[in-house]
Amino acid sequence: MTSSMVSGCHVMAKPSSSICNLDCEYCFYLEKEKLYPEQNKNWRMDDDTLERYIQQYIDAQMGQEVQFAWQGGEPTLMGVEFFRKVVALCAQYAGNKRISHAFQTNGILLNDEWCELFKQHQFLIGVSIDGPPDLHDGYRVTRTKKSTHAKVMKGIEYLKKHRIEFNTLTVVHDLNAQHPERVYRFLKQIGSRYLQFIPLVEREASATPDDTQALTLVLPSELEAKVTTWSVPSKQYGAFLNGVFDVWVKSDVGRVFVNMFDSTLATWCGHASGSCITSETCGHAFALESNGDLYQCDHFVYPEHLLGNIHENTIKEMNNSASAKQFGADKASTLNQDCLQCEYKFACHGGCPKHRFSVSRSGYLNHNYFCSGYTNFFKHTEPYMRLMAALIENKQSPAHIMAIIEQQPKLLYSLFKVSKNSPCPCGSGEKFKRCCSAS
């Protein structure tokens, strides 16, 4: 590995650790409580840890922009005063650097006081919501198994009242994956213009551990495991993305931004993805527990991926450690042969390492569970991506594709590799020669 200094890092801080006021049935954070049983009583990040974190994180960034990310569990459980202290400490240690904050919440506890803080200090707010009431409440419930959708919507109304822009994070699971258009239209309806879809797949040990504190959810390296019932099947996830894309590309390009679409278009333009999931390498995107423990990644909060504690080593030191560098490089260096030869490697790069527990079509291990879904999505969107990339190359807005689809379908469909007797790519059910080919 190179010994050069890393220019910076990203840390997702969890001041409330995995403690939350919901009991989402699919939440992998809940299981992480077993790693820190003492935090059931002492779960709050203390003042010393907070100050060390803010000072060290700012110092670890070589650039002028420093974005703090606050998550959980549920960060609003810390209370407004905690985040007033955050803002004050950032001002104290910022120097000439510019500080911004991203805050991910389930929205349940939002009120006027929270929104006044967010508005005053320009926090970027992300709200976790999985779609309309029946799809959201399928898994996102309280500890007494009551629905939460109405409470989330009340929180969103507070954001709107204070004119605070927000984005949405939607976990795609086995239930809402069957309704892509409905989920997408709902998120638009509530005012979200920046949509992030997170595919859910977790595996649990085939045998229940004897130790009640042992983790039952497992890492990719553990072979004896089964996918949980709430996980989204790979092909279903691809179909979900395609369903959302088909609505978006005809009416919302440049108006609504979807993380997977943006990152894919970037790769078709020859740029880096912008998403760790589809980037060539990963790493240097850490998770900080409330006691100061720093892990390689939020998806790798396991003992073997603990980098250290900020009370013993600085974030800059851990960011530049051989372990941190190796973790990031491993994503590319461990690709199997099928991935290396894949025509969409440039857009995928093998996906998230946590999801590499499947076997490829040629029998290679270390293959991404979502491969078939990703491939389906990349194939389906390729003509549109090529055209939008061409528009950008010619210094035109990719949003022009909407008019082309409506007024010049032949120009678009000339990019499709279909015969005249094939089903029309527009989804009408007619043969290509009797549909858009004849337009």
Side-chain angles (χ1 to χ4, degrees):
M1 295 298 300
T2 177
S3 59
S4 61
M5 290 285 288
V6 179
S7 62
C9 63
H10 183 269
V11 175
M12 193 193 77
K14 299 156 61 179
S16 61
S17 192
S18 59
I19 302 299
C20 187
N21 52 349
L22 299 187
D23 192 27
C24 302
E25 294 182 23
Y26 57 58
C27 183
F28 66 89
Y29 282 138
L30 298 180
E31 174 147 297
K32 299 304 172 60
E33 292 178 12
K34 298 175 184 177
L35 289 174
Y36 298 96
E38 73 281 0
Q39 288 183 349
N40 287 326
K41 294 182 179 179
N42 186 25
W43 49 268
R44 296 175 61 90
M45 180 179 285
D46 61 37
D47 289 349
D48 183 26
T49 305
L50 175 63
E51 185 165 359
R52 284 175 183 265
Y53 166 54
I54 288 176
Q55 182 180 15
Q56 290 183 23
Y57 185 53
I58 293 173
D59 183 59
Q61 312 306 318
M62 295 179 68
Q64 294 300 107
E65 305 289 337
V66 183
Q67 184 180 71
F68 284 84
W70 305 98
Q71 199 159 323
E74 174 50 42
T76 56
L77 291 177
M78 298 300 295
V80 174
E81 284 305 318
F82 177 87
F83 285 95
R84 289 198 178 108
K85 192 176 300 180
V86 164
V87 171
L89 287 169
C90 285
Q92 178 180 337
Y93 290 109
N96 61 354
K97 295 182 179 180
R98 291 181 292 274
I99 308 295
S100 61
H101 298 272
F103 191 98
Q104 187 67 38
T105 176
N106 59 36
I108 299 294
L109 297 180
L110 295 184
N111 55 24
D112 287 324
E113 188 178 22
W114 275 111
C115 290
E116 286 164 5
L117 173 77
F118 295 154
K119 188 71 173 180
Q120 180 182 356
H121 299 287
Q122 298 182 313
F123 275 51
L124 173 63
I125 307 302
V127 179
S128 299
I129 186 166
D130 288 354
D134 57 316
L135 300 179
H136 175 91
D137 289 334
Y139 292 118
R140 297 188 67 81
V141 294
T142 66
R143 294 189 180 274
T144 57
K145 304 305 177 186
K146 292 182 180 178
S147 64
T148 64
H149 192 273
K151 293 181 178 180
V152 178
M153 290 304 301
K154 186 176 180 180
I156 289 174
E157 289 306 313
Y158 275 110
L159 294 172
K160 291 180 177 179
K161 173 185 174 182
H162 290 267
R163 298 183 179 179
I164 297 171
E165 287 192 12
F166 63 94
N167 56 39
T168 49
L169 187 153
T170 300
V171 174
V172 183
H173 47 72
D174 64 315
L175 301 180
N176 61 3
Q178 302 175 51
H179 306 278
E181 183 173 343
R182 189 166 163 237
V183 169
Y184 177 69
R185 293 194 185 282
F186 171 80
L187 296 175
K188 274 183 56 182
Q189 175 194 329
I190 66 174
S192 178
R193 292 297 176 265
Y194 295 88
L195 282 56
Q196 186 174 7
F197 294 113
I198 305 296
L200 175 66
V201 58
E202 293 291 344
R203 295 189 307 151
E204 54 190 352
S206 298
T208 303
D210 294 332
D211 181 359
T212 57
Q213 298 300 326
L215 298 179
T216 57
L217 298 183
V218 300
L219 279 165
S221 57
E222 301 178 56
L223 298 178
E224 297 299 322
K226 58 183 179 181
V227 173
T228 59
T229 57
W230 54 81
S231 297
V232 57
S234 176
K235 290 184 178 179
Q236 183 70 62
Y237 178 55
F240 175 86
L241 289 176
N242 290 345
V244 172
F245 183 88
D246 288 346
V247 179
W248 173 84
V249 77
K250 293 176 183 177
S251 58
D252 293 321
V253 180
R255 301 168 188 158
V256 177
F257 301 88
V258 180
N259 65 328
M260 187 64 175
F261 304 165
D262 290 346
S263 61
T264 302
L265 179 56
T267 62
W268 277 104
C269 292
H271 304 305
S273 156
S275 166
C276 64
I277 292 174
T278 52
S279 292
E280 184 175 6
T281 60
C282 63
H284 308 286
F286 308 125
L288 181 76
E289 292 291 332
S290 63
N291 68 345
D293 282 348
L294 192 72
Y295 288 87
Q296 293 277 17
C297 171
D298 186 39
H299 289 289
F300 286 84
V301 179
Y302 294 89
E304 54 266 49
H305 292 287
L306 175 64
L307 281 166
N309 188 286
I310 64 173
H311 291 275
E312 300 166 359
N313 303 99
T314 68
I315 292 174
K316 181 183 285 187
E317 289 170 343
M318 290 184 276
N319 186 39
N320 284 279
S321 67
S323 175
K325 293 179 180 180
Q326 188 65 55
F327 181 87
D330 281 348
K331 180 178 182 182
S333 63
T334 59
L335 284 177
N336 65 42
Q337 199 61 33
D338 278 349
C339 281
L340 291 172
Q341 296 176 352
C342 177
E343 62 180 312
Y344 297 115
K345 174 180 172 289
F346 73 96
C348 173
H349 293 293
C352 178
K354 188 181 179 183
H355 300 153
R356 294 181 184 178
F357 56 81
S358 290
V359 179
S360 75
R361 63 183 181 275
S362 301
Y364 293 106
L365 299 176
N366 195 38
H367 202 68
N368 198 294
Y369 168 84
F370 288 113
C371 177
S372 61
Y374 286 145
T375 302
N376 188 15
F377 168 72
F378 293 136
K379 284 185 180 296
H380 180 77
T381 60
E382 179 176 350
Y384 304 94
M385 292 294 176
R386 285 184 180 277
L387 183 52
M388 285 190 287
L391 288 167
I392 292 170
E393 186 177 358
N394 285 283
K395 303 189 184 316
Q396 298 182 52
S397 169
H400 289 330
I401 193 173
M402 295 184 291
I404 294 172
I405 291 173
E406 182 179 1
Q407 301 168 14
Q408 299 175 277
K410 277 190 175 181
L411 176 60
L412 174 66
Y413 293 131
S414 65
L415 298 172
F416 282 94
K417 299 175 182 178
V418 294
S419 68
K420 288 189 173 293
N421 289 315
S422 297
C424 189
C426 77
S428 66
E430 296 287 337
K431 290 185 178 182
F432 183 46
K433 65 182 180 183
R434 293 175 182 166
C435 192
C436 292
S437 177
S439 298

